[in-house]
Amino acid sequence: MKQLWCAWMMVCTCAGAAAADDYKIKVDVTQQGNVFLTQASFYLPLSGCQSYRYLTDYDAATNIPGVVASTTTRLEARKARVERLLQERILFFPIKMRMVLEVTELPNIGTDFVQISGEAKSYKGAWRLEQEGSGTVFKYRTESEPDSILPIAVIEYFIKNRLNSSFEAMAKAGAERLKQPC
């Protein structure tokens, strides 16, 4: 059985505090046919260096609810393979999802990623870091096409209702890194 994966794909490239408003979380999901386009962002009071270290600490994603395991294999100096196991409950059904991403790192700029195996027909995107005042805005964008037996309306509902809490968890985990050196 193909499993629902979309919402958790959204948390697979990054690794809790304060209210969500403090992080200036914005999430927008649109659908074009079977493809979901996601743009999201949040703000953290981290330096550029701290932000980049957080972004590329892929295994810290286990701090996000639903991410059961994350294993990173370094392929090159600026390229990594990240394997994730995700678990979620949709309605009354437990869903387990596995994915393998290839991540290209752009030092102090962000990351680009593409699924090389997993539950989706396709999944690719990027994180970008933008300095703003004394902190950093984390910007996320993806294109994802699910491969699931669940109706697309169920997938869309799940994505739109789960993403805000997922990005809030990411922001909270990142905010805890304020005292960590670069």
Side-chain angles (χ1 to χ4, degrees):
M1 170 175 140
K2 292 292 181 178
Q3 301 172 355
L4 178 62
W5 58 273
C6 257
W8 287 108
M9 294 294 221
M10 309 311 167
V11 299
C12 69
T13 56
C14 187
D21 291 342
D22 295 340
Y23 303 122
K24 303 176 187 173
I25 296 171
K26 296 177 186 172
V27 178
D28 181 51
V29 179
T30 58
Q31 185 179 348
Q32 294 179 351
N34 290 333
V35 176
F36 288 90
L37 306 173
T38 303
Q39 292 187 23
S41 64
F42 58 87
Y43 173 86
L44 292 176
L46 301 177
S47 70
C49 176
Q50 289 170 313
S51 297
Y52 185 71
R53 285 184 60 140
Y54 174 54
L55 183 65
T56 57
D57 183 1
Y58 309 110
D59 296 342
T62 57
N63 295 322
I64 308 302
V67 180
V68 177
S70 180
T71 304
T72 302
T73 304
R74 182 67 46 195
L75 302 174
E76 298 173 16
R78 299 287 175 224
K79 194 167 278 205
R81 180 165 292 144
V82 180
E83 184 171 349
R84 295 259 168 85
L85 177 62
L86 312 167
Q87 186 172 322
E88 184 59 66
R89 183 169 295 278
I90 300 178
L91 302 173
F92 298 108
F93 302 101
I95 305 291
K96 287 189 178 186
M97 300 154 273
R98 185 190 148 280
M99 70 178 75
V100 179
L101 299 172
E102 189 168 283
V103 182
T104 301
E105 300 168 350
L106 309 165
N108 299 313
I109 295 171
T111 61
D112 294 333
F113 56 90
V114 63
Q115 177 185 276
I116 56 175
S117 69
E119 309 296 337
K121 288 183 182 177
S122 68
Y123 174 64
K124 64 182 177 180
W127 281 97
R128 290 297 181 262
L129 303 172
E130 293 183 9
Q131 294 295 255
E132 183 179 289
S134 61
T136 304
V137 177
F138 288 69
K139 293 189 172 188
Y140 171 85
R141 65 172 171 73
T142 61
E143 293 180 19
S144 54
E145 184 175 1
D147 190 4
S148 174
I149 62 168
L150 295 173
I152 204 80
V154 173
I155 295 170
E156 180 180 18
Y157 176 83
F158 183 76
I159 290 171
K160 289 183 176 180
N161 287 289
R162 183 66 177 142
L163 279 182
N164 280 327
S165 61
S166 295
F167 280 105
E168 183 176 354
M170 282 185 264
K172 285 181 179 179
E176 291 177 357
R177 294 181 173 232
L178 184 59
K179 295 178 183 175
Q180 290 185 359
C182 276

